[in-house]
Structure formats: C-alpha cells, structure tokens
Amino acid sequence: MNFTQQLVNGIVLGHAYALIAIGWTVLLGVARLVNFGHGQMYMLGAFVTWYGVSRLELPYFVAIPLAMLAGVAVGYVMQRVMLQLTLKQDLVSIMIVTLGFGYVLHGAAALFFGSTGQILETPFSTKDIYWGDLWFTYQDIAIVIAAILFFAALKYVIDRTRIGRLARMVAEDPQLAQLAGVNVRRVYLGVFAFEGAAVALAAALVAPRTPILTSMGFDEVIITFVVVVLGGIGSVTGSYVAGLALGLFTAFFGAFVSPAYATAAAFAVLIAVLVIRPGGLAVSPGGRRA
Amino acid sequence: MKTGIKTVLFAALAVIGFFVPILLGASGAVYAACVLIAIFAVMSYGLDIVVSDLGEVSLAHTVFFAVGAYTTALLSASAGIGPVLSLAGAILMVLLVAAALGFVTLQLREFVFSLVTYAVAVVAATIAQNWDFLGGSDGLRGIPAFELSWLGFTARNDQELWPIAYLLLLVAIYLVSAFRRSKLGQAAMMVHLNQRLAVTSGVDPQRVRLQVFMVSAPITASAGWLYSYQRAYISADVLETYFLILMLTAVVVMGRRLLLGPLLGVALIQVQEKFFSFGGYVDKIILGSVLILTLAFLPNGLFGVVAPLRNLFTRRTTPVGKTIPERS
C-alpha cells in the first residue's frame, strides 16, 4: 500500500537527514560555530567513498573510514585556517570563509572526480527486501541503525563524558575555559574534525540512495539547516526528532504533491516556524536550551 | 583632502574610466570584459552596503539579481516593453521581493539570517529550474537588443552597450557614496557597531535593516536588468553560487567600506577569469581561495596591506616627539 510505503520511505529519509545534520548540530550547539561548506563536505564524502569502492576497488567497509579520514582532514584544515576568526568569535567572517571552502571543494572535486553523475553501489544498496507490499534495501536498514547508534553515542558523550564537558565549557565561555586551563584551540579543531568525519560517514551511508554529482552540495545543505533550526538549534535530541519529522514530511509531500518542490516545501516549513516563533530560536551555548 | 578637490578628482576619474576599453585596445573581448565588470560591480555594490555597512551577510542577493534579470526578460521578450520601463518593472518587482524577505527575516540576526537567506537562494534556484512560467531549465530566450527608440540608440553588441553599462556603474557608485553620507547610512553603521547605542539614540535597528535592504536590492537588481540584455537570454544559472561568491569576494577583497573596492575586486576577478583562466574548475578554486585567505589573514583586505605604506610619503604637519622647551 502506498501510504505504508511512504511511511517507510519517510522513516528512512528522516534518519538520513538526522545523520547528515549531526555534524552541524554539534558544531552549532556545542561550539557555537557554523559551516556553510557542509553540503560540499557531504559531496566530498560521497565521492571519496565512490572512488574507494569503484576505482580503488576497496571493500565498502574500508572506503567508509577513508572518506571519514578525508572529512577529518578537510575539517581540520578549515578550522586551522580560520582559527583566529573562531577565537574572535567573528561569525560573519566564519560564514563567508566556510562558504568559500565549499566553493573550493566543489571546484577541486569536479577537477578530480569529473563533473558527470555517478552511482555509488554498496553491498547493501543492491539487495532488496520485500515485505508484503513494502520495498526497501539493506542500505536503508543500515542508515536507520547507524543514525540511532550515532545519536545515542553522541548524547552520551556530550552529557556524560569529560570531552563533552570540555566542549560545552568552551562553547559557554571560551575565555573562561582558557583560564581554567582548557586548550581552546584544540577543542575547536577537534569539533571541526568531528564535523568532517560525521558528515563523511553520513555521506557514505546515505549517498547510495541517489545518484551523486559534484554540484549537489549547494542544495544538500538546506535540509541540514531546516533540521538544525527546527530541532531547536544545537539540541541533539531535537535534531533527531526534527530530522525524522522532516523525512516523513518530505516523503509524503514528494509522493502526493510534487517531488520537484519537496525542498522548497521543507523550506516553507522553516519560514513558517521562524515567523510564528522568531524569538524562540536564540542560540543557547552548550547545547542546552534555556 | 578638501571636498572640492575630491569632487574634481572623482569627476576626472569618471571621465577617464569611460575610455578604459579604448586605452586597452578596444577589441571585442575588452569591451565584453568591461561591460561584464561594470554589471557585476553594480551587482556587488548592492551587497556591499549590507555586508560592509549593516554588517549582516545576505546570501540572497543572487535572488535580487535573478529577479531583475527574469523580470526584464519576461517584460522585454514576452511583452515587448522597452529598457526604461523594464528597469522600472525590475525595481518594482525586487522591492516587493526584498520587502517580503526583509519582513520574514526582521527578527533574525547573524547566522540564522544568513542561513535563511541562503535557503531562499537555493529554493529560488529550484523554482527557476522547475517553473514553466520562467522557462524552466531552458530559461527565457529572445530578449531583444537594448533599444531606446526615442533617442535613436540601439546596442547590438558589447561595444555599443558599454556607455549604458558605464552609466549604470556611475549611478551605483554615486548611490553608495550618497548612502554612506545619508542619515540612513550612518544609522546602519551605528546598528552594526553598537546596537545598544543605536537604540538609545532613537534609532530603530529593525527599521534601519529593512530600509538598507530596500536600498540595496534595487541596485543589485538593476545589474540583473542589464545582464539580461547583455546575454539576450536568462536561465536558472543566474542563481548559481558563482555569483554569490563573486559578490562576496569583490566586497571583501580590497577592504570593506572603500568606495571603489567592489569595482576593483570585480575587475581583478574578471580579468583573471577572462584573460588568465586556468579552466573553470581551477578558477573556482582560485576565487574561493582568494575569499578564504582575505578573510582569514587580511582583515582589512588588500588595501589594508598597502595603506600603511602611504604613511611613509605623507608629510608630517606636527613634529614627532616632544618639542624641546626654549631656555629663558
């Protein structure tokens, strides 16, 4: 039945969205940083995985860490270049710099991987499951499981461990954290490296669902914006719920109204929320909502 | 410098500027580059007052550019309306769009503002690609030549379009400089630098932001207006990130709040891309890197590197250090 099928699609899509947004959630909620190159980092993760699997003929499980490593490298370099801006908390410049990085990544990826579309095939994505009238792939199951595990682990690390406390402390008050002996630079570099790894992992898992293009980063990032803002900026649990809700919304909108305008519709939801409760979106550092 | 001398100097510069294509050999490629530089500079001036004066990063200026271009294309190709009225139409249309966008984003600041404006740009691109009214992915063709029949003026190529492009550029520069001297311009700076002070001085920050937006959008849209005549066809690629990155780089590369900064920035980028190109992808890397490096390492732009040298040549009006008191 079409409705149940869309429900399944929506749940898978929702977990995919949440997974893609996880890096941003941490970046924003925990370190109060932004990254407009997020979409292009997603694209890079997808292409490195594709390159590993189809050109280097590596097993999928080796290609994923490879993509994550590339993500860590890009994230680290980005933060290293703009460290001074980060320490000054010059968000306006950080936004433009990350946008510039996204543009450079797009150019570099097109140069290296070519500008034609590719299909990333994994051992899971080619195996279908039929369950009554429902159809999905093992890749879909992998996405859902990975997203749930990742979110649970993240929630635990941020709330319960020393690393999480350090990151939250830096977000709350960088100067004070420095006085208390925290190596603020290292935390910022670490958070950005994490963002790179997280988005690359998401890309390696989610990208097999659709053809990949080096130009796809531009609109890919919108979904992340919507998830992060709807989830109550920086809240880990909120992002998960918002991702799931947005996935269901997009699946049903795409199936029953128009697939071409699904992104536009998701954005319309964002605008509606912003107009209805504009004051409720202030960032609370530390990822905890006031 | 005194205002009188400054005015004469600017006037002289404005006259010389017109002959730049001739000085560079007057070839077709030179005219094409000069017209594009003028158009993109005008586009960047619109963003300049939002980024440099108001201190917000609007990523929706490509939408204003596109609104100008699409309105012109629809009016001139489908309805057969001339350039003067199509400019009026483009400005009217963009004011509506800017007002709507300004109203929605009134409460938003910093990155949430940028995030929403970026999303607007992406959504506009999907709409332009899918909506048949705007030509879908094929775009709109058949935009007639720029023709002012009552003056007997027709611009069939870039050389003939140059006077119009140059005039538009001068108007844009004049508007930006007039804006900076105006009450609104000063209020924008105050909101940018010290919002509390602005509020206690009786300035309403939200009103100022909306007003700056409404001044800025028509400037960028008028660039779109001329661009559609220059290209003779318009498609969704006017909403590409390229234009956004080009504008942002042009605004910051020379140094912010320099009147000729965006023009020189655009000229630098366009000359590289038109005459010293390394292919589209490498050019992308270069443009992005210039943007990154400027912001990360040259907070005052290229001019900030050169400016201190100027002090070497200025004559001191007061002696350095303390004067030795005379003995009595």
Side-chain angles (χ1 to χ4, degrees):
Chain A
M1 196 200 138
N2 201 5
F3 183 82
T4 342
Q5 178 68 55
Q6 292 313 326
L7 195 66
V8 171
N9 288 354
I11 289 169
V12 174
L13 208 56
H15 282 83
Y17 289 165
L19 200 57
I20 296 171
I22 214 167
W24 245 80
T25 305
V26 171
L27 211 58
L28 194 55
V30 179
R32 211 185 181 289
L33 290 172
V34 289
N35 178 15
F36 279 78
H38 186 82
Q40 280 79 13
M41 285 169 85
Y42 172 85
M43 175 275 294
L44 189 74
F47 267 91
V48 172
T49 315
W50 167 79
Y51 192 80
V53 170
S54 67
R55 290 288 181 273
L56 304 178
E57 292 177 2
L58 297 171
Y60 182 48
F61 285 104
V62 182
I64 294 176
L66 189 72
M68 287 171 76
L69 217 61
V72 167
V74 169
Y76 183 86
V77 169
M78 268 172 96
Q79 183 57 277
R80 188 68 201 83
V81 168
M82 59 188 197
L83 198 56
Q84 291 310 317
L85 298 175
T86 308
L87 294 176
K88 273 192 292 180
Q89 286 283 305
D90 183 354
L91 268 181
V92 169
S93 296
I94 291 174
M95 281 186 297
I96 309 181
V97 169
T98 54
L99 206 61
F101 264 111
Y103 198 64
V104 169
L105 282 181
H106 179 191
L111 199 64
F112 191 76
F113 299 113
S115 55
T116 47
Q118 304 289 353
I119 305 258
L120 173 55
E121 274 193 353
T122 73
F124 298 131
S125 67
T126 44
K127 281 200 192 117
D128 300 325
I129 302 170
Y130 293 96
W131 193 21
D133 292 341
L134 301 179
W135 165 80
F136 46 96
T137 65
Y138 274 101
Q139 187 77 34
D140 295 342
I141 297 181
I143 290 171
V144 173
I145 293 173
I148 293 172
L149 287 180
F150 204 165
F151 268 91
L154 185 69
K155 184 97 185 113
Y156 176 79
V157 169
I158 289 180
D159 288 351
R160 301 280 162 84
T161 64
R162 206 180 105 79
I163 298 176
R165 272 200 302 276
L166 282 184
R168 276 188 286 134
M169 187 173 177
V170 169
E172 200 91 41
D173 192 334
Q175 274 94 17
L176 194 68
Q178 190 141 32
L179 284 177
V182 177
N183 189 337
V184 174
R185 289 159 180 261
R186 219 163 67 195
V187 172
Y188 280 134
L189 286 169
V191 167
F192 240 82
F194 170 81
E195 141 85 344
V199 74
L201 174 69
L205 285 168
V206 178
R209 285 175 58 90
T210 47
I212 53 173
L213 278 164
T214 47
S215 58
M216 69 183 177
F218 179 54
D219 34 341
E220 196 62 50
V221 71
I222 294 303
I223 295 296
T224 300
F225 287 174
V226 181
V227 170
V228 168
V229 172
L230 288 188
I233 294 167
S235 157
V236 175
T237 321
S239 283
Y240 178 77
V241 176
L244 194 57
L246 189 66
L248 289 167
F249 174 80
T250 314
F252 283 110
F253 189 90
F256 297 120
V257 188
S258 151
Y261 290 113
T263 318
F267 173 70
V269 172
L270 174 74
I271 289 293
V273 171
L274 286 174
V275 173
I276 292 165
R277 36 166 281 205
L281 292 163
V283 187
S284 58
R288 298 221 162 140
R289 310 201 42 216
Chain B
M1 230 186 301
K2 279 179 192 153
T3 356
I5 305 175
K6 221 172 180 173
T7 315
V8 172
L9 215 80
F10 263 105
L13 204 65
V15 173
I16 295 169
F18 181 74
F19 296 102
V20 163
I22 296 173
L23 295 175
L24 290 174
S27 68
V30 167
Y31 271 110
C34 285
V35 168
L36 281 184
I37 287 170
I39 291 174
F40 294 155
V42 172
M43 173 180 85
S44 309
Y45 274 112
L47 182 66
D48 189 29
I49 60 173
V50 174
V51 171
S52 305
D53 295 78
L54 197 62
E56 298 278 356
V57 182
S58 157
L59 305 176
H61 268 62
T62 46
V63 178
F64 299 152
F65 184 64
V67 166
Y70 269 107
T71 308
T72 308
L74 286 171
L75 288 177
S76 65
S78 314
I81 284 169
V84 175
L85 283 176
S86 69
L87 177 62
I91 289 176
L92 197 71
M93 206 50 213
V94 86
L95 283 175
L96 288 175
V97 173
L101 188 61
F103 179 73
V104 169
T105 57
L106 209 58
Q107 306 279 343
L108 311 174
R109 293 218 63 185
E110 278 194 344
F111 78 90
V112 186
F113 174 78
S114 304
L115 201 132
V116 170
T117 52
Y118 187 81
V120 167
V122 175
V123 169
T126 44
I127 291 174
Q129 275 155 10
N130 291 302
W131 196 13
D132 290 334
F133 179 64
L134 297 177
S137 50
D138 294 336
L140 295 167
R141 288 169 191 284
I143 298 165
F146 190 99
E147 188 179 359
L148 299 168
S149 48
W150 43 280
L151 281 176
F153 177 89
T154 315
R156 280 173 221 89
N157 53 35
D158 286 325
Q159 184 171 356
E160 288 170 355
L161 199 59
W162 166 245
I164 303 295
Y166 190 67
L167 191 69
L168 185 66
L169 176 65
L170 289 182
V171 171
I173 294 177
Y174 172 77
L175 283 177
V176 170
S177 93
F179 167 81
R180 292 211 165 124
R181 278 180 276 116
S182 72
K183 263 208 175 112
L184 179 62
Q186 282 159 5
M189 265 326 263
M190 216 197 295
V191 171
H192 176 189
L193 297 174
N194 191 339
Q195 185 151 9
R196 269 193 205 154
L197 181 68
V199 173
T200 47
S201 316
V203 172
D204 178 359
Q206 296 189 350
R207 212 186 133 111
V208 168
R209 286 176 43 153
L210 198 58
Q211 283 173 336
V212 173
F213 235 65
M214 304 299 267
V215 173
S216 149
I219 298 178
T220 298
S222 66
W225 164 73
L226 196 58
Y227 190 59
S228 67
Y229 285 107
Q230 195 268 341
R231 280 238 310 215
Y233 103 100
I234 285 301
S235 71
D237 60 9
V238 289
L239 285 155
E240 270 186 10
T241 345
Y242 167 73
F243 292 103
L244 179 60
I245 302 284
L246 174 66
M247 272 190 261
L248 285 169
T249 312
V251 167
V252 300
V253 70
M254 287 296 155
R256 280 173 236 189
R257 274 177 66 78
L258 289 174
L259 190 54
L260 295 182
L263 171 61
L264 295 174
V266 166
L268 203 70
I269 297 160
Q270 287 299 311
V271 166
Q272 186 267 316
E273 283 174 8
K274 293 282 173 308
F275 301 102
F276 303 95
S277 174
F278 298 92
Y281 299 139
V282 180
D283 286 353
K284 263 198 168 92
I285 299 175
I286 294 175
L287 181 57
S289 305
V290 168
L291 181 59
I292 296 165
L293 297 176
T294 308
L295 282 166
F297 301 111
L298 304 172
N300 297 318
L302 286 177
F303 193 74
V305 180
V306 187
L309 299 177
R310 212 172 43 170
N311 296 339
L312 293 175
F313 303 105
T314 46
R315 285 178 62 176
R316 295 195 178 90
T317 46
T318 48
V320 181
K322 279 183 191 167
T323 45
I324 304 161
E326 278 177 41
R327 276 187 200 166
S328 54

